[in-house]
Amino acid sequence: MRDEWEHAHTDYTRPVRRRIPASLAESEADWRHYLEHSTPNGWLIQHNAMTEALVSGKPIYLLHTTKAIDAIRTSRQLHASTGCLVAALYCSPLVRQHEGLRPHNLGAYLMRTKPSTTPIVFEVVPDAPIRPKGIDYLHLGAIHLRTYERYRSFLTPTENDQLDDTVLTGLRATAAFFDVTLRNASGHPTPAPEFIDQLSDAVTHVPFLGYLYFEVLSEYLMLHSVTPETKTYAQAGELNNWLGKRLAFAAVDGMDRLFDLARFNPRHHRLVQLVEGIEPALGPGAAEYVRRRLSHLFARTALHPSQDAAAVTFLGADLSTLRNVAPGLIGQMIFREIRYMPRYQQLYHCFEKAKALDAWDYWNSEGIPTPFNGILPKGEIGINPVYPRSSVRAWAAEKDSRGYLHPAEEVTAVFTPHLASWWAPPRQRGRRNADTDSPVEPALRARSPIPTQRSSVDEVSA
């Protein structure tokens, strides 16, 4: 179990250690070297302001935006939430300067796009330098699968059968594409335009691919962008998060209201248009980058590390076999399907609290009071609610005309080992999205009577 959590974390300040399937054309170390040394902003992977703050051992300042400030004051409790940070309070970094607390560009984005929320400033005083190990939600599939198998008795036989049938139907619809993807990862490339169109079709059947597609494109934009805006953020030690937001909002109608990456599936011609609309010079290379990078990441996140990517085939494989061969993929598919079951609102804490307890135990043993999104150190960072060796204070803050934050009123509240409640509206099938030409699947929405009701579209469960 601990090996699974270790596998899902990345420390960019150390050499690659993760086991990966055999026969991949490029190793994880190959990709790390390319991303760090062959892209304009790759140096920020290791030498970013957030990582430097973590390893300094000094107090860390974080921003959380919320619509539930009155409920927090009344309850005097803070709850963590699920999503890309598994079971942490979603925040972004703040830099303490003479003028005040300067938000990371992610935090500036949240405050600009969510003006009705209240900014809360947290001061976290760690007991020691923090290990910069980030949680990569794309690698959580095996943990999702293990959790489901442990608690599947909580579902009725009919519900379990329905879940198996839904997952198997998705696998059969995408088996040919998965085999193409593994061939690409193993060094047998296919034309990028054709690959992107196949990927777009596959997202409809396997929503996890929408998350993988978006994260690959966000990585491409953040590391390759050379706009004045990106350079300004880079000088501050930050990757430019606005690029991914613009991409998502342009790609999917209504994404600013329901941030659901299961709907992210632009076809090739649309992909090129989207990237050129953000930064024209990056358009020509986008599709080929997605083909190479997504194929590699799919093999790593879908297959068990003991597998040989060149020998695996999804065509004709039964679900029992694939649970062993591709536990990462099956776990991601189950995780995304089970949330749409009518009873999941009642069962949510059974499944998600189990993962939260594991995550908290891992972070505590590793000395991590502030876990971050480890796909890249791009400013998504959280607070571990049960870390026993650090102190945390919170203030409602005011923003001045220059965008700096100033603590105004201390909030008397404590973190508790509870998760904010979630519910998923019924999936809408058959309605087409004008921008992506894919069925609209509503995002998960947050409902929390007290503490940390999710207050940002960026905090939608991963």
Side-chain angles (χ1 to χ4, degrees), residues 7 21 70 118 209 229-230 234 293 333 416 451 458:
H7 184 79
D70 291 336
T118 299
L209 292 172
E229 175 189 72
T230 297
R293 184 64 168 152
M333 293 178 71
T416 60
D458 302 278

Side-chain angles (χ1 to χ4, degrees), residues 23-76:
S23 297
L24 298 185
E26 297 161 304
S27 69
E28 186 176 2
D30 292 336
W31 269 105
R32 174 85 67 85
H33 185 273
Y34 169 78
L35 296 176
E36 290 187 5
H37 300 286
S38 299
T39 65
N41 305 311
W43 61 276
L44 287 166
I45 293 176
Q46 280 199 51
H47 305 290
N48 60 85
M50 185 181 74
T51 297
E52 291 173 356
L54 293 174
V55 301
S56 72
K58 297 178 180 178
I60 297 170
Y61 296 89
L62 302 176
L63 164 67
H64 174 73
T65 57
T66 183
K67 293 181 179 179
I69 186 64
D70 291 336
I72 292 172
R73 289 188 177 114
T74 299
S75 68
R76 297 190 175 188

Side-chain angles (χ1 to χ4, degrees), residues 388-408:
R389 301 186 300 277
S390 64
S391 63
V392 182
R393 296 177 67 186
W395 295 265
E398 296 177 350
K399 184 178 70 170
D400 65 25
S401 59
R402 297 170 298 176
Y404 287 84
L405 288 173
H406 304 273

Side-chain angles (χ1 to χ4, degrees), residues 273-306:
Q273 289 177 348
L274 289 167
V275 175
E276 288 181 342
I278 295 171
E279 193 161 342
L282 300 183
E288 178 59 21
Y289 185 89
V290 171
R291 183 198 66 79
R292 284 182 57 213
R293 184 64 168 152
L294 188 142
S295 296
H296 174 80
L297 287 179
F298 175 79
R300 276 177 41 198
T301 59
L303 302 183
H304 191 276
S306 65

Side-chain angles (χ1 to χ4, degrees), residues 147-352:
T147 304
Y148 163 70
E149 290 177 339
R150 181 178 180 182
Y151 296 105
R152 65 181 302 168
S153 65
F154 291 12
L155 302 179
T156 67
T158 299
E159 288 171 332
N160 276 302
D161 290 344
Q162 176 189 350
L163 191 60
D164 285 350
D165 289 345
T166 302
V167 170
L168 188 56
T169 298
L171 289 168
R172 287 171 175 169
T174 51
F177 171 72
F178 288 155
D179 284 2
V180 167
T181 304
L182 292 181
R183 287 199 297 272
N184 275 271
S186 302
H188 303 283
T190 57
E194 178 183 337
F195 180 87
I196 299 300
D197 286 345
Q198 291 174 334
L199 169 63
S200 176
D201 293 338
V203 171
T204 303
H205 304 286
V206 181
F208 170 63
L209 292 172
Y211 292 77
L212 196 59
Y213 191 0
F214 172 78
E215 295 293 356
V216 166
L217 271 175
S218 294
E219 176 188 84
Y220 174 72
L221 292 171
M222 285 189 289
L223 295 181
H224 291 83
S225 175
V226 292
T227 64
E229 175 189 72
T230 297
K231 290 179 179 179
T232 297
Y233 293 145
Q235 290 172 359
E238 301 172 5
L239 290 165
N240 185 357
N241 271 272
W242 291 70
L243 300 170
K245 305 299 182 294
R246 291 170 184 148
L247 174 72
F249 296 162
V252 183
D253 183 39
M255 189 72 100
D256 58 331
R257 298 184 300 275
L258 297 173
F259 198 90
D260 182 10
L261 293 176
R263 298 189 291 152
F264 185 86
N265 65 340
R267 299 181 72 80
H268 175 259
H269 74 281
R270 181 62 174 146
L271 165 63
V272 176
Q273 289 177 348
L274 289 167
V275 175
E276 288 181 342
I278 295 171
E279 193 161 342
L282 300 183
E288 178 59 21
Y289 185 89
V290 171
R291 183 198 66 79
R292 284 182 57 213
R293 184 64 168 152
L294 188 142
S295 296
H296 174 80
L297 287 179
F298 175 79
R300 276 177 41 198
T301 59
L303 302 183
H304 191 276
S306 65
Q307 296 299 307
D308 184 336
V312 171
T313 180
F314 285 85
L315 287 169
D318 59 70
L319 187 55
S320 177
T321 298
L322 291 176
R323 287 178 191 268
N324 296 314
V325 172
L329 175 63
I330 304 304
Q332 294 283 5
M333 293 178 71
I334 288 175
F335 173 61
R336 281 165 176 77
E337 290 298 330
I338 198 173
R339 297 183 301 182
Y340 287 102
M341 286 187 166
R343 290 199 309 125
Y344 189 68
Q345 184 175 355
Q346 289 75 47
L347 298 175
Y348 162 80
H349 284 282
C350 301
F351 291 94
E352 296 311 311

